[in-house]
């Protein structure tokens, strides 16, 4: 432990598993100004292995939360500042960063002691340059916010370590320099100029690990040379010490390599998290678990559209939106009652098919945060007016981003209304755990043979994807045909 | 410590309802099953067992409570320290305190215990300084205690390997003509390992003075016992040819009595015993594990009602053996212990890279000395700058 420079302590994100390199702050359990005790939970962090609470190593007052909830943070990056109210060293924990030493693993601190390699697993990043034990203690701050690469430090001819130097307070725009590891973060800055600390950006994963013997690897790391940028001349393309030296010489050559990537150009790297991450996982799980079959049906819905106008004038439906989606939902519910197996789940664990009986009707909704699928519980029991009200409420809540988690779980069958985007149809992927999903396309005026003559009619397409483990082609076809029949001739509902 | 990820630690098997109703399965009250040895019910009622009378003083009873409480506090602090980046990993014993303290306190001077990597309660009972265990999990050494002095071997990360060591050691005890016993610790998952079975076969064949103490904590990381064994584990002993007994692992008195009995039999030349301490791992397998992914909160809630410490506390208070002042005193002592563990852990000096050469042999060999010199030169090459 180094001497503290004051009462402010920073807690760095530890590796709570073995060998983890990053974690997402799910939520803060404390706020700025709160008084915290040792071992009081500060925040919840989700890693590749588990979601865990991080207990405070310090007692004191919270001064600053360095990252917002939802941010992906590199292990070893400070996440919170706590005022311990002491002038000197507090028991335990890492000290606040100080000039000339950041307490990074293996790095020499101001008092000459090397920080402990404990609590941090192996890292994939090679960003950390270990300063030499002798010579100027110029520390790289590879994972600290705002790494800067001042041009003037290149080839300056002094005997200081000729590579990365940092000016912790400088807010200079980061620049990219091929071959220097800091370039990775600079890159990230380039596209997210307005973003907060660079450390929040998920480290880029690049191609295969370059071949080099461990001493050379270490040498390159000490020099701050990124091996992925070095051409290897050894056996099998191995990078040798001479290659690293040659690269350094080239890098130190006057000028050219410092190219600035303006914001907004080039590729953009967006951290995968939140709804996007969740959606991706759900879609992959569904697509590779349930064998999907998709069937299509084109339906003349002219009568439905006429009925819709009439129904909209009825007092029972006053004040609610009588949308085509409402008819599709009602048709699906009626058809599902006739074919209960479509409203079911595959329970791999218990080797059972769960036939739900109750229909919790999911509606895929596009929201500013991404796709969410809230559902209407026990929709089969609702009257048309109640169903219309529920649909309106559900979509409004979803678009406002206020859908409660409970409303998104327990769905049993889903409708996705791709028609609102003006497309005809698609092959929807099942909401995980469900066995059927119905896509409802745009309603268009089309030439259609009606009573022996070609007439302009209002036509739409339905697509039904179903889990072929549970639903055979026959059942899927009959169900889809029933939905279509109800839309083509809503009067048929009387027969259901 | 990465080996922890590869192990197949198997602990208790939820004795499948069909074969052998688990004590208290499905109910907070663990209805006593015929084969389960229990001396203290989850409600803290003292019951007698004909084969396992327990002669214990009031001081010893209070001492057991203190052991349980302090060991739990240590465990909680260690888990927090891991979350703060001060330990590489921690294997929590939460819920298994009684099994470990009961077994540890059954040992006598001269006996030898062979732990897995979770036996912090046994380490405590053997007088190992908690900081010597913490240094292992902090990664600064391989365990700081002297195994011979403490009668407690170093932690073994490889699943089940210590059973072979224990049997071999017991065969040595036998050849020395010593009247000591050996206690081998293992988990339910380890019973699926080849070396565990080999160790039991050798132990049986030679009537070695070894007791196999299996903490069946129900899960081999994420695998429940019923996936590993079709019979209750203690019944397997019959196949090897020695007695097997199932004890309520959350009952420190029963564990103490059963283990004492088995160790005495071993010392007297009656050969091995297999003890299945039926318990539950309340926490994660290690700090790298997320148990919510493979078990239900409901199950954990049920086991909370079988807490090993709460039942002893209830018994002590109800029978007037301890008052509030006693419990407050233990709590204060626990907090002091936690503070000492915290400061002692974060202040541990880093090992020197050359330390690894020191404990290879008792005396340095020329070859080793040369390796060390070469390594020192290699290390030094990073300090200069040009190389």
């Amino acid at each position: 432990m180094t001497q503290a420079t004051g009462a402010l302590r920073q807690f760095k994100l530890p590796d709570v598993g073995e060998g983890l390199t990053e974690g997402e702050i799910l939520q803060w359990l404390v706020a700025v100004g709160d008084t915290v005790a040792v071992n009081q939970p500060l925040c919840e962090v989700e890693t590749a292995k588990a979601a865990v609470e991080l207990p405070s190593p310090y007692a004191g007052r919270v001064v600053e939360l360095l990252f917002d909830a939802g941010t992906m943070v590199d292990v070893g990056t400070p996440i919170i500042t706590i005022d311990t109210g002491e002038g000197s060293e507090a028991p335990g924990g890492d000290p606040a960063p100080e000039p000339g030493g950041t307490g990074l693993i293996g790095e020499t601190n101001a008092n000459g002691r090397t920080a402990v390699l404990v609590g941090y697993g192996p890292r994939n990043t090679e960003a950390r340059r270990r300063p030499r034990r002798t010579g100027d203690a110029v520390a790289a701050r590879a994972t600290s916010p705002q790494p800067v690469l001042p041009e003037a430090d290149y080839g300056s001819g002094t005997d200081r370590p000729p590579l990365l130097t940092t000016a912790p307070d400088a807010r200079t725009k980061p620049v990219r320099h091929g071959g220097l590891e800091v370039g990775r973060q600079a890159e990230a800055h380039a596209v997210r100029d307005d973003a907060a600390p660079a450390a929040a950006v998920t480290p880029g994963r690049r191609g295969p690990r370059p071949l080099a013997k461990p001493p050379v690897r270490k040498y390159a790391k000490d020099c701050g040379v990124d091996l992925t940028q070095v051409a290897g001349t050894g056996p099998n393309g191995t990078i040798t010490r001479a290659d690293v030296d040659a690269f350094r010489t080239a890098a130190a050559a006057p000028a050219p390599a410092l190219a600035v990537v303006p914001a907004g150009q080039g590729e953009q790297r967006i951290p995968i998290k939140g709804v996007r991450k969740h959606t991706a996982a759900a879609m992959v799980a569904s697509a590779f678990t349930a064998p999907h079959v998709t069937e299509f049906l084109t339906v003349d819905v002219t009568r439905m559209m006429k009925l819709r106008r009439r129904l909209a004038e009825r007092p029972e439906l006053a004040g609610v939106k009588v949308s085509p989606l409402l008819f599709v939902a009602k048709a699906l519910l009626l058809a599902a009652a006739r074919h209960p197996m479509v409203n079911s789940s595959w329970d791999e664990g218990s080797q059972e098919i769960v036939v739900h009986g109750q229909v919790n009707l999911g509606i895929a909704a596009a929201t500013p945060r991404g796709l969410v699928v809230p559902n209407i519980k026990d929709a089969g029991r609702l009257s048309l007016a109640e169903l219309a009200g529920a649909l309106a409420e559900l979509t409004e809540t979803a678009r406002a981003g206020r859908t409660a988690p409970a409303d998104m779980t327990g769905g049993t069958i889903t409708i996705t209304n791709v028609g609102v985007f003006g497309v005809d149809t698609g092959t929807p992927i099942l909401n995980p755990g469900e066995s059927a999903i119905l896509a409802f396309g745009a309603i268009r005026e089309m030439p259609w043979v009606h009573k022996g003559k070609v007439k302009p009619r209002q036509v739409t397409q339905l697509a039904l994807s179903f889990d072929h483990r549970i639903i055979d082609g026959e059942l899927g076809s009959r169900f889809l045909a029933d939905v279509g029949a109800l839309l083509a001739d809503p009067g048929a509902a009387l027969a259901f | 410590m990465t080996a922890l990820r590869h192990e197949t630690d198997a602990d208790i098997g939820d004795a499948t309802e069909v074969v052998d109703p688990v004590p208290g399965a499905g109910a907070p009250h663990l209805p006593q099953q015929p084969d389960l040895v229990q001396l203290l019910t989850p409600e803290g009622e003292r019951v007698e067992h004909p084969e396992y009378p327990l002669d214990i003083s009031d001081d010893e009873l209070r001492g057991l409570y203190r052991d349980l409480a302090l060991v739990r506090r240590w465990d909680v602090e260690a888990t927090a320290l891991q979350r703060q980046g001060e330990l590489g990993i921690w294997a929590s014993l939460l819920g298994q305190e009684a099994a470990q303290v009961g077994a540890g306190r059954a040992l006598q001077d001269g006996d030898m215990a062979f732990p897995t990597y979770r036996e912090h309660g046994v380490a405590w009972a053997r007088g190992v300084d908690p900081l010597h265990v913490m240094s292992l999990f902090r990664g600064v050494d391989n365990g700081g205690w002297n195994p011979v002095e403490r009668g407690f071997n170093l932690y073994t990360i490889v699943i089940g390997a210590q059973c072979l060591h224990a049997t071999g050691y017991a065969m040595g005890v036998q050849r020395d003509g010593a009247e000591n016993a050996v206690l081998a610790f293992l988990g339910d998952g380890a019973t699926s390992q080849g070396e565990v079975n080999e160790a039991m076969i050798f132990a049986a064949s030679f009537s070695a003075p070894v007791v196999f103490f299996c903490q069946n904590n129900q899960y081999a990381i994420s695998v429940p016992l019923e996936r590993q064994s079709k019979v209750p584990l203690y019944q397997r002993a019959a196949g090897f040819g020695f007695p097997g007994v199932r004890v309520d692992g959350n009952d420190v008195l029963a564990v103490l009595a059963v283990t004492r009995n088995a160790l005495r039999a071993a010392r007297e030349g009656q050969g091995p015993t297999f003890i299945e301490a039926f318990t539950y791992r309340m926490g994660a397998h290690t700090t790298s594990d997320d148990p919510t992914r493979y078990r239900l909160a409901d199950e954990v809630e049920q086991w909370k009602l079988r807490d090993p410490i709460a039942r002893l506390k209830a018994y002590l208070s109800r029978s007037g053996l301890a008052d509030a002042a006693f419990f407050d005193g233990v709590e204060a002592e626990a907090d002091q212990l936690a503070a000492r563990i915290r400061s002692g852990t974060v202040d541990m000096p880093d090992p020197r890279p050359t330390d690894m050469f020191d404990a290879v042999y008792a005396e340095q060999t020329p070859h080793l000395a040369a390796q060390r010199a070469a390594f020192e030169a290699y290390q030094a090459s990073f300090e200069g700058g040009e190389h």
Side-chain angles (χ1 to χ4, degrees), chain B residues 49-216:
Chain B
H49 191 288
E51 289 173 47
Y52 298 99
L54 181 65
D55 182 22
I56 190 166
S57 71
D58 295 350
D59 274 346
E60 284 174 300
L61 281 170
R62 284 188 289 265
L64 288 174
Y65 177 83
R66 175 178 170 273
D67 286 344
L68 295 174
L70 296 191
V71 164
R72 177 170 290 184
R73 186 67 183 82
W74 167 15
D75 187 75
V76 167
E77 197 66 20
T79 302
L81 283 165
Q82 198 282 336
R83 294 285 182 243
Q84 290 156 1
E86 299 293 346
L87 296 181
I89 190 173
W90 180 249
S92 169
L93 60 53
L94 194 66
Q96 299 176 225
E97 296 90 348
Q100 297 193 5
V101 166
R105 288 296 177 196
L107 287 159
Q108 295 181 358
D109 290 348
D111 290 346
M112 186 73 184
F114 286 81
T116 71
Y117 45 81
R118 203 191 296 280
E119 267 65 70
H120 320 313
V122 186
W124 172 264
R126 295 306 270 167
V128 173
D129 186 333
L131 286 174
H132 283 156
V133 176
M134 298 298 279
S135 63
L136 169 66
F137 286 93
R138 189 172 166 91
V140 303
D141 61 32
N142 298 313
W145 65 93
N146 181 336
V148 178
E149 199 177 275
R150 301 261 67 99
F152 185 69
N153 196 42
L154 292 175
Y155 276 6
T156 299
I157 310 296
V158 178
I159 300 305
Q162 73 282 358
C163 291
L164 283 174
H165 310 157
T167 296
Y169 189 96
M171 289 166 65
V173 168
Q174 208 170 23
R175 279 151 184 73
D176 289 346
E179 283 202 5
N180 294 324
V182 178
L183 189 54
F185 287 88
L186 63 152
D188 46 280
T191 61
S192 297
Q193 295 278 25
E195 58 261 66
V196 170
N197 290 271
E198 292 161 21
M200 290 185 186
I201 289 167
F202 265 79
S205 296
F206 288 89
S207 281
V210 57
V211 173
F212 297 97
F213 189 91
C214 174
Q215 287 166 78
N216 177 355

Side-chain angles (χ1 to χ4, degrees), chain A residues 215-477:
Chain A
V216 176
R217 202 173 283 288
K218 169 125 187 29
Y219 177 60
K221 193 173 176 183
D222 284 355
C223 299
V225 170
D226 176 3
L227 285 176
T228 61
Q229 306 292 325
V230 181
T233 61
N236 301 319
T238 316
I239 298 166
T240 65
R241 188 170 294 246
D243 294 335
V244 175
D245 285 338
F247 181 83
R248 290 177 64 196
T249 310
L258 299 174
V260 176
V261 176
Q265 290 188 15
E267 69 178 12
Q268 189 180 359
R269 303 189 74 88
I270 301 168
I272 296 168
K273 61 192 183 74
V275 173
R276 173 57 49 211
K277 189 173 182 174
H278 186 78
T279 303
M283 289 301 108
V284 168
S286 176
F288 295 104
T289 306
H292 285 57
V293 175
T294 307
E295 295 187 327
F296 306 96
L297 182 66
T298 308
V299 187
D300 173 3
V301 292
T302 312
R303 285 184 190 169
M304 177 192 97
M305 297 303 275
K306 283 181 182 161
L307 175 65
R308 174 185 170 224
R309 285 193 291 276
R310 291 206 304 277
L311 279 182
E313 290 163 7
R314 292 194 61 85
E316 295 90 335
L317 292 168
V320 297
K321 188 179 175 192
V322 183
S323 63
L325 177 63
L326 175 62
F327 284 88
V328 174
K330 191 68 187 174
L332 177 140
L333 291 166
L334 289 169
R338 184 180 268 194
H339 307 286
M341 279 297 282
V342 300
N343 188 48
S344 62
S345 296
W346 183 271
D347 187 343
E348 184 70 31
S350 60
Q351 287 295 301
E352 288 169 336
I353 292 168
V354 184
V355 183
H356 296 295
Q358 170 177 322
V359 178
N360 295 337
L361 177 62
I363 304 291
T367 75
R369 293 170 60 221
L371 171 69
V372 299
V373 189
N375 61 73
I376 301 169
K377 299 283 187 291
D378 207 359
R381 295 172 61 96
L382 302 181
S383 70
L384 198 64
E386 288 167 337
L387 186 60
L391 275 174
E393 189 184 333
L394 169 143
T395 45
E396 277 163 28
T397 310
R399 293 205 177 110
R402 295 195 315 270
T403 304
D407 291 335
M408 285 187 279
T409 57
T412 61
I413 192 166
T414 295
I415 295 175
T416 176
N417 186 4
V418 297
V420 295
F421 303 112
V423 304
D424 292 327
T425 190
T427 56
I429 294 179
L430 293 166
N431 204 25
E434 299 177 12
S435 295
I437 180 167
L438 182 70
F440 172 36
I443 298 171
R444 301 187 191 284
E445 197 150 73
M446 304 269 283
W448 189 261
V449 177
H450 179 67
K451 293 181 179 171
K453 291 181 184 169
V454 177
K455 295 218 171 154
R457 301 285 287 182
Q458 290 181 295
V459 175
T460 191
Q461 291 195 45
L462 301 175
L464 179 77
S465 290
F466 53 89
D467 183 345
H468 210 335
R469 292 175 301 179
I470 300 177
I471 301 174
D472 293 334
E474 183 197 0
L475 174 60
S477 304

